[in-house]
Amino acid sequence: MVVVGVIASALGIVFGLSIDWFPTIASVQAEKIKTLYDVLVIASVPIFVLVVTVVIGAVIRFRMRPGQEDMDGPPIHGNTRLEVIWTALPSMIILGLCVYAAAVLHDAEKAPAASAKELKIGVTAQQFAWTYTYPKELTGGAPLKTTQLVLPIGRSVEFQIVSEDVLHDFWVPNFSMKIDAVPGLTTRYRVTPNRLGTYPVVCAELCGLGHSVMRSQVQVVPPTAYAAWLKRKTAPPKATTSGGTAGAGNATAGKQVFADNGCGGCHVLADAGAKGQIGPNLDDVLKGATAAAIKTDIVDPNAQIAKGYGPDIMPANFGQTLSASDLASLVAYLKEATS
Ligand code: HEC
Ligand SMILES: [Cu+2]
């Protein structure tokens, strides 16, 4: 039984460690959590194997043989040494793992040494969209409200999460961190992104009909690219050159706005390859619509609810999160793509 148990444990540990339990790791915190997880696998596989081996071994060795139907095994009363061992050993293992897990948690929540250098970014959850607020300390001017989350690599970020309506949950699987967005409270967590790339932001709390499309993205970029992005976003809008009237919008830019704001998660739009099924098919319903009507549909979706659909499903804050020029471009694009 010992030989079988040792071999089975070794195989189980190798198997457990070879499984990719986590998506690509993109934060310092996620790395430590993965190590904790690996230690848990190493500690729990032999215990599982021990129990199963003893059970199977006992079933085979002490099974009932013909003629023993009415017999009973010898009565065994307390074995103090055994009882002490099987109480003390698991207690010590569990205590050790608890202390280790608490240390990892403490570490993940700890403020960085130079706490002044930490970014503090607001996250607003709303059925069914995410908005991010870069406060004036970061922009150097007015706070920036945007649907894009861009972070510099290697710098600690504290997210301050609020909800405008119901419970949501701010989860970035690649950062290994998540927390509920609770109406009336500000919840927080911090991460230090350590891998360049674009990762999904997911709502992890069932929040209504559009829950499955309540997604966004976080881009981890080099610090210089972050600074450039922030500067571009907060620069005062340039007067239109090339003779276009202000507010006319640019359909090519509008296609990007459509892609960046998750419209395709809910709507069909052939030109953008969008296949969302939560809202009306824009190819059908926008045929022949005027620019003014399309604009109202976007900034005030509850003004006129499309037939067969419920109110409060389409996010009502695009009027605030989209800049005037992005909105004009989006409208121009939708008009062009559906005409
Ligand atoms: C969470 C899902 C969701 C997202 C995201 C979403 N919409 Fe909608 N949209 C809806 C639903 C549902 C309706 C129908 C109810 C209504 O009219 O408010 C709708 C209605 C519309 C209409 C009116 C259609 C008609 O019948 O006249 C337009 C136009 C529109 N959306 C465009 C957009 C654009 C552009 C975006 C991205 C900026 C977007 N939507 C994002 C769900 C969504
Ligand atoms: Cu949600």
Coordinates of all heavy atoms in Angstrom, one line a residue, residues 125-130 165-169 202-208 210-211 214, ligand 2:
A125 N -19.5 50.4 -12.3 CA -20.2 49.3 -13.0 C -21.7 49.7 -13.1 O -22.2 50.4 -12.3 CB -20.2 48.1 -12.1
Q126 N -22.2 49.4 -14.2 CA -23.6 49.8 -14.5 C -24.2 48.8 -15.5 O -23.4 48.3 -16.4 CB -23.5 51.2 -15.2 CG -24.9 51.8 -15.5 CD -24.7 53.1 -16.3 OE1 -23.7 53.3 -17.0 NE2 -25.6 54.0 -16.1
Q127 N -25.4 48.5 -15.4 CA -26.0 47.5 -16.4 C -25.9 48.1 -17.8 O -26.5 49.1 -18.1 CB -27.5 47.3 -16.1 CG -27.7 46.4 -14.8 CD -29.2 46.4 -14.4 OE1 -29.9 47.4 -14.5 NE2 -29.6 45.2 -14.0
F128 N -25.1 47.6 -18.7 CA -24.2 46.5 -18.6 C -22.9 46.9 -19.2 O -22.5 46.5 -20.3 CB -24.8 45.3 -19.4 CG -26.1 44.8 -18.8 CD1 -27.3 45.3 -19.4 CD2 -26.1 44.0 -17.7 CE1 -28.5 44.9 -18.8 CE2 -27.3 43.6 -17.2 CZ -28.5 44.1 -17.7
A129 N -22.3 47.9 -18.5 CA -21.0 48.5 -19.1 C -20.1 48.9 -17.9 O -20.5 49.1 -16.8 CB -21.4 49.7 -19.9
W130 N -18.8 49.0 -18.3 CA -17.8 49.5 -17.3 C -17.3 50.9 -17.8 O -17.1 51.1 -18.9 CB -16.6 48.5 -17.3 CG -16.9 47.1 -16.9 CD1 -17.1 46.1 -17.7 CD2 -17.1 46.7 -15.6 NE1 -17.3 44.9 -17.0 CE2 -17.4 45.3 -15.6 CE3 -17.1 47.3 -14.3 CZ2 -17.6 44.5 -14.5 CZ3 -17.3 46.5 -13.2 CH2 -17.5 45.1 -13.3
D165 N -26.2 50.7 -10.0 CA -27.5 50.1 -9.9 C -27.5 48.8 -9.0 O -27.8 48.9 -7.9 CB -28.0 49.8 -11.3 CG -27.0 49.3 -12.3 OD1 -26.2 48.4 -11.9 OD2 -26.9 49.8 -13.4
V166 N -27.1 47.7 -9.6 CA -27.2 46.4 -8.8 C -25.8 45.9 -8.5 O -24.8 46.5 -8.9 CB -28.0 45.4 -9.6 CG1 -29.4 45.9 -9.9 CG2 -27.3 45.1 -10.9
L167 N -25.7 44.7 -7.9 CA -24.4 44.1 -7.7 C -23.8 43.7 -9.0 O -24.4 43.1 -9.9 CB -24.6 42.8 -6.9 CG -24.8 42.9 -5.4 CD1 -24.9 41.5 -4.8 CD2 -23.6 43.6 -4.7
H168 N -22.5 44.0 -9.1 CA -21.7 43.5 -10.2 C -20.4 43.0 -9.6 O -20.3 43.0 -8.4 CB -21.3 44.6 -11.2 CG -22.5 45.3 -11.9 ND1 -23.1 44.8 -13.0 CD2 -23.3 46.4 -11.6 CE1 -24.2 45.5 -13.3 NE2 -24.3 46.5 -12.5
D169 N -19.5 42.5 -10.4 CA -18.2 42.1 -9.8 C -17.1 42.4 -10.8 O -17.1 41.9 -12.0 CB -18.3 40.6 -9.5 CG -17.1 40.2 -8.6 OD1 -16.0 40.2 -9.1 OD2 -17.3 39.8 -7.5
V202 N -14.2 41.2 -16.9 CA -15.5 40.4 -16.9 C -16.3 40.8 -15.7 O -15.8 41.0 -14.6 CB -15.1 38.9 -16.8 CG1 -16.4 38.0 -16.9 CG2 -14.1 38.5 -17.9
C203 N -17.6 40.8 -15.9 CA -18.5 41.0 -14.7 C -18.8 39.6 -14.2 O -19.2 38.7 -14.9 CB -19.8 41.6 -15.1 SG -20.9 41.7 -13.6
A204 N -18.5 39.3 -12.9 CA -18.6 38.0 -12.4 C -19.7 37.9 -11.4 O -19.7 37.0 -10.5 CB -17.2 37.6 -11.7
E205 N -20.7 38.7 -11.5 CA -21.9 38.6 -10.6 C -23.1 38.8 -11.5 O -23.3 39.8 -12.2 CB -21.9 39.7 -9.6 CG -22.9 39.6 -8.5 CD -22.8 38.4 -7.6 OE1 -21.7 38.3 -7.0 OE2 -23.7 37.6 -7.5
L206 N -24.0 37.8 -11.6 CA -25.2 37.8 -12.4 C -26.0 39.1 -12.1 O -26.4 39.3 -11.0 CB -26.1 36.6 -12.2 CG -27.3 36.5 -13.1 CD1 -26.8 36.4 -14.6 CD2 -28.1 35.2 -12.7
C207 N -26.1 40.0 -13.2 CA -26.6 41.3 -12.9 C -27.8 41.7 -13.8 O -28.3 42.8 -13.8 CB -25.5 42.4 -13.0 SG -24.7 42.4 -14.6
G208 N -28.3 40.8 -14.6 CA -29.4 41.1 -15.5 C -29.2 40.5 -16.8 O -28.3 39.7 -17.1
G210 N -28.1 41.5 -19.7 CA -26.9 41.8 -20.5 C -25.6 41.3 -19.7 O -24.5 41.6 -20.2
H211 N -25.8 40.6 -18.6 CA -24.6 40.2 -17.8 C -23.5 39.6 -18.7 O -22.3 39.9 -18.5 CB -25.1 39.2 -16.7 CG -24.0 38.5 -16.0 ND1 -23.1 39.2 -15.2 CD2 -23.6 37.2 -16.0 CE1 -22.2 38.3 -14.8 NE2 -22.5 37.1 -15.3
M214 N -21.3 42.0 -20.4 CA -20.8 43.1 -19.6 C -19.3 42.9 -19.5 O -18.8 42.4 -18.5 CB -21.4 43.1 -18.2 CG -21.0 44.4 -17.4 SD -22.0 44.6 -16.0 CE -21.0 45.8 -15.1
Ligands
CU2 CU -22.6 43.2 -14.1

